Amino acid sequence: DLAKSDRVDIFYSHDPYDIARLFAPPTEVYGRGVVIVRNPIRRAVATYKRLQIKRPDLVGDMTLEQFATSHLLQDNFLTRTLSRNKDAPLTEADVNLAKEVLKRKFVVGLYDHFGDSVRRFEAFFGWKISESVNSCQSKAVQQELDLGYNDFDTIPYDQAYAAIAEKNRADLELFKFAEFLYKYQDRALFGNAVDSLITME
């Protein structure tokens, strides 16, 4: 039984329900999920830029706006994942279910606060990180943030953004809720007060 194994401390998956089945009865082992949530517009732009670099055969000469309306950009990825509604039109009930799962099952981090989110996870699980490991971790986080497709200074924020937002309205609502949870959990779980959040203009 992998969940009971001493060889594994962390499971990673894009599908939390795939992980949850490892802890289903009669397994008497419990886990807690952590997630880093990203603004869905920034997530879409990063996906577009990453595909330009990694898979130019897919995007070709597509503009960001064309990409946003194409099949290459899945709509409302996080809402669909948490509500388990993969294909059908999303409803208010799906969005509410996704919020409830996020609230009850996850310690929430935000991509725009990547380093702080990782430190929260460490504090929650009581992980003791040595100075050398912390240094390597900080470098790894910075390398992720410095990747070319995470640079937004050269992206036009006009019709393309409107198209992405229209396609991801449920995820935008869920992201706002994730920001609330991030702030709330900072007080409830870690005893800190967060006065402001960095959100996308």
Side-chain angles (χ1 to χ4, degrees):
D1 191 327
L2 193 59
K4 293 182 178 180
S5 172
D6 292 334
R7 297 173 297 172
V8 181
D9 294 313
I10 299 172
F11 296 96
Y12 170 80
S13 175
H14 288 293
D15 184 350
Y17 294 100
D18 185 50
I19 296 296
R21 65 183 175 80
L22 297 175
F23 298 92
T27 301
E28 296 181 355
V29 178
Y30 302 95
R32 183 62 184 262
V34 298
V35 62
I36 292 183
V37 183
R38 191 172 197 178
N39 182 299
I41 295 179
R42 289 183 177 269
R43 185 183 70 213
V45 175
T47 299
Y48 169 70
K49 296 191 72 175
R50 179 173 55 81
L51 288 175
Q52 283 184 314
I53 296 170
K54 304 287 188 180
R55 292 295 307 273
D57 56 305
L58 287 179
V59 295
D61 296 326
M62 273 186 183
T63 65
L64 179 57
E65 185 176 0
Q66 290 170 332
F67 172 77
T69 57
S70 76
H71 71 282
L72 294 175
L73 179 62
Q74 181 182 359
D75 69 285
N76 302 296
F77 171 78
L78 186 57
T79 304
R80 289 192 176 280
T81 298
L82 295 180
S83 68
R84 306 188 82 173
N85 181 348
K86 300 297 186 182
D87 302 306
L90 290 170
T91 65
E92 184 178 352
D94 290 319
V95 177
N96 289 337
L97 175 58
K99 289 179 179 179
E100 190 69 13
V101 172
L102 199 62
K103 178 178 72 174
R104 291 183 176 275
K105 301 298 184 181
F106 291 94
V107 177
V108 175
L110 295 177
Y111 191 92
D112 286 343
H113 298 272
F114 206 110
D116 287 340
S117 297
V118 171
R119 284 187 284 275
R120 284 189 183 192
F121 302 158
E122 292 169 356
F124 181 81
F125 288 110
W127 295 333
K128 304 300 181 182
I129 306 299
S130 69
E131 185 174 339
S132 61
V133 171
N134 184 64
S135 177
C136 291
Q137 176 182 282
S138 296
K139 289 178 181 177
V141 169
Q142 194 58 50
Q143 285 174 353
E144 163 68 21
L145 299 178
D146 287 343
L147 289 171
Y149 47 79
N150 286 322
D151 173 19
F152 295 90
D153 293 338
T154 59
I155 295 294
Y157 302 156
D158 44 20
Q159 296 301 316
Y161 268 29
I164 296 170
E166 177 63 25
K167 195 170 185 176
N168 289 275
R169 283 187 291 177
D171 266 12
L172 281 168
E173 182 177 342
L174 188 58
F175 176 71
K176 290 296 183 184
F177 185 69
E179 288 184 307
F180 163 77
L181 286 179
Y182 183 81
K183 189 174 183 178
Y184 173 79
Q185 289 180 352
D186 195 56
R187 298 192 304 268
L189 298 180
F190 306 103
N192 299 320
V194 178
D195 296 323
S196 63
L197 292 171
I198 301 174
T199 59
M200 189 169 183
E201 61 277 358

